[in-house]
Amino acid sequence: MTTARIVFAGTPEFAASHLAALLHAGIQPVAVYSQPDRPAGRGQQLQMSAVKQLALAHGIAVEQPLSLKADDAQQRLRAYQPDLLIVVAYGLLLPQAVLDIPTLGCVNVHGSILPRWRGAAPIQRALLAGDNETGVDLMRMGAGLDTGPVLASARTPIRADDTGGSLHDRLAQLGAELLVTHLPHLLRGECSGQQQNDALATYAKKLDKAEALIDWSQSAAQIDRQIRAFNPWPVAQTQLGSDTLRIWFSQLSDRKKSAAAAGTIIEHQSDALLVTCGDGVLAITELQWPGGKRLPVRDVLNARAKQLAVGNQFASPTSAQSAHEKPAHEQRSL
């Protein structure tokens, strides 16, 4: 399709969807950059990124520098004589010296409508904040964090049953389509960008496992968004007695708030557990006991009748467990 020399840089599944779309369109990068292999799983064995696996399966050269600031790493990139560098959820900062190497510059596909949610976790932050819509932007990269002019966008509504996982998959598809559609224009130098309004920017910080602890004094709407945003990672959690339960799905209940304390189980329904919150009532529909599988609540109620009895109370995190006092850990997504 093109004789242009394209280099692709990306790491997780979100990026691999974009590389797959390029390959499907007949565009084979001359090289792929991805984060170094990391220990993963119970055995902590080194695991290749999704992008590296796909690149190797198609016989594409793979580079995994720890940083692009070093001269030798920049020389290696320069040796590929790239016309265009496409970056999708790569995970390394690109210094100006690298941005200047491709003759047609560097572009990035970002999982938000810029300048809303610049940074590492835009998908989950949009959902957590209660945004009505999100999207993907194709942008020309500059020295700042997601600050370059936007070349093209695609939008999608955030639905009441969306999770971090469902939005991730939908945006990955939208972004891949956006990239392939506009790539011919980029290679002909026909894409003009729209400058972002920095005054409207917000920062999507990395996800932190400590944020997954449910504070039942918050509103039911906020807790519902927390449960959906952190599905499938890090998964919302709550304490019941000595057990830490993972809460996978919930929905808002139209039941009026009771006088019971926040976190109290106030009713069993056929497929939900009603819990009173600081404001409103939440219906938990899927949960997971330690060491067990995630299950619909209807399959748990009989086996755990005593622990899930009406009147029992989920604990809220203490101040020492607050998200702001916990160190950052690993992160899924962008």
Side-chain angles (χ1 to χ4, degrees):
M1 179 179 178
T2 177
T3 57
R5 296 179 65 79
I6 293 172
V7 171
F8 183 90
T11 300
E13 288 287 348
F14 187 85
S17 298
H18 293 70
L19 177 58
L22 290 175
L23 294 168
H24 184 72
I27 302 164
Q28 177 131 338
V30 296
V32 158
Y33 279 65
S34 195
Q35 288 259 351
D37 300 353
R38 307 285 192 202
R42 291 183 177 178
Q44 289 294 286
Q45 298 293 315
L46 284 179
Q47 192 169 78
M48 294 186 290
S49 73
V51 165
K52 179 181 178 180
Q53 293 179 47
L54 183 59
L56 292 179
H58 287 79
I60 305 172
V62 175
E63 302 285 349
Q64 296 178 281
L66 291 172
S67 167
L68 288 170
K69 295 179 180 177
D71 289 342
D72 59 342
Q74 294 174 12
Q75 285 291 353
R76 200 161 176 82
L77 173 61
R78 196 171 285 111
Y80 285 110
Q81 299 181 313
D83 295 310
L84 183 69
L85 175 57
I86 298 171
V87 181
V88 184
Y90 178 32
L92 283 184
L93 292 175
L94 271 59
Q96 189 62 50
V98 168
L99 297 175
D100 293 339
I101 291 175
T103 55
L104 294 172
C106 304
V107 295
N108 171 239
V109 179
H110 184 71
S112 83
I113 304 168
L114 293 168
R116 180 73 167 159
W117 302 125
R118 294 172 177 171
I123 298 173
Q124 294 84 356
R125 296 295 171 199
L127 208 164
L128 194 59
D131 291 1
N132 293 321
E133 68 170 0
T134 185
V136 286
D137 277 353
L138 175 64
M139 55 171 289
R140 189 166 296 283
M141 296 183 71
L145 178 65
D146 302 327
T147 56
V150 175
L151 305 171
S153 297
R155 300 190 176 201
T156 183
I158 296 179
R159 301 189 288 251
D161 60 349
D162 265 326
T163 64
S166 68
L167 266 186
H168 170 280
D169 294 348
R170 197 153 77 242
L171 292 180
Q173 182 176 352
L174 277 178
E177 293 170 355
L178 191 72
L179 175 62
V180 171
T181 298
H182 287 82
L183 187 58
H185 306 291
L186 282 169
L187 296 176
R188 292 196 297 267
E190 295 175 353
C191 276
S192 59
Q194 176 72 37
Q195 293 294 336
Q196 299 181 42
N197 183 349
D198 293 340
L200 300 178
T202 51
Y203 177 60
K205 67 177 182 178
K206 288 183 179 180
L207 300 185
D208 184 332
K209 281 184 176 178
E211 293 179 87
L213 292 173
I214 296 173
D215 179 354
W216 294 99
S217 68
Q218 294 189 324
S219 71
Q222 178 62 40
I223 296 171
D224 178 58
R225 292 199 298 268
Q226 177 187 17
I227 291 168
R228 291 188 290 114
F230 294 165
N231 175 351
W233 194 91
V235 186
Q237 298 183 10
T238 189
Q239 200 72 22
L240 183 62
S242 59
D243 292 321
T244 301
L245 309 188
R246 307 176 88 189
I247 309 297
W248 285 90
F249 275 108
S250 64
Q251 58 190 40
L252 297 179
S253 169
D254 55 7
R255 167 80 183 268
K256 293 183 179 179
K257 185 179 182 303
S258 77
T264 302
I265 300 169
I266 58 172
E267 184 179 329
H268 293 171
Q269 295 186 338
S270 60
D271 58 355
L273 200 64
L274 300 193
V275 181
T276 188
C277 306
D279 181 12
V281 174
L282 191 69
I284 296 174
T285 57
E286 185 175 319
L287 54 76
Q288 182 179 13
W289 229 269
K293 297 178 180 178
R294 49 187 286 188
L295 291 169
V297 162
R298 62 176 176 272
D299 294 340
V300 180
L301 280 176
N302 287 336
R304 300 282 185 177
K306 185 175 180 181
Q307 290 149 298
L308 296 174
V310 170
N312 285 355
Q313 185 179 5
F314 295 113
S316 291
T318 64
S319 58
Q321 294 173 303
S322 78
H324 302 292
E325 296 177 26
K326 286 283 184 179
H329 297 287
E330 59 185 307
Q331 176 204 345
R332 183 194 185 250
S333 91
L334 305 188

